[in-house]
Amino acid sequence: LFELLDQYEDDLHKHITVKLHGDRTANELLQFLIPQVQVAGLEEIIPSMHDIFIAKVKETGGILPEELQ
């Protein structure tokens, strides 16, 4: 369903960053989480064109100049 990328806690909440797998939706993620935890908010992070480019180059075995990594 998802991959946990990061997590941290502040004085009031535990924050997590996840990456959804395949064509999974935020609604599916919430359906999974709500029975287990109280969800205070959800923010969708859209990858930039730079992030997509870097991922595709790495995926195809390309070599990146160090300043782009």
Side-chain angles (χ1 to χ4, degrees), residues 3 5 7 16 23-25 27 32 36 40-41 47 53-54 57 63-65:
E3 173 185 351
L5 298 177
Q7 62 182 334
I16 63 169
D23 59 353
R24 299 294 188 164
T25 66
N27 282 343
F32 174 80
Q36 302 175 59
F53 172 76
I54 298 298
V57 169
I63 299 171
L64 292 170

Side-chain angles (χ1 to χ4, degrees), residues 20-38:
L20 297 175
H21 287 188
D23 59 353
R24 299 294 188 164
T25 66
N27 282 343
E28 291 174 300
L29 176 63
L30 287 171
Q31 288 173 347
F32 174 80
L33 291 175
I34 287 173
Q36 302 175 59
V37 298
Q38 182 177 351

Side-chain angles (χ1 to χ4, degrees), residues 2-63:
F2 65 90
E3 173 185 351
L4 180 63
L5 298 177
D6 188 29
Q7 62 182 334
Y8 68 93
E9 292 184 43
D10 60 25
D11 292 337
L12 299 174
H13 301 99
K14 182 172 188 172
H15 302 258
I16 63 169
T17 303
V18 300
K19 179 179 180 180
L20 297 175
H21 287 188
D23 59 353
R24 299 294 188 164
T25 66
N27 282 343
E28 291 174 300
L29 176 63
L30 287 171
Q31 288 173 347
F32 174 80
L33 291 175
I34 287 173
Q36 302 175 59
V37 298
Q38 182 177 351
V39 176
L42 173 75
E43 178 182 352
E44 185 175 13
I45 301 171
I46 307 295
S48 69
M49 290 300 292
H50 176 76
D51 295 335
I52 294 168
F53 172 76
I54 298 298
K56 288 295 179 187
V57 169
K58 287 181 178 178
E59 185 179 290
T60 59
I63 299 171

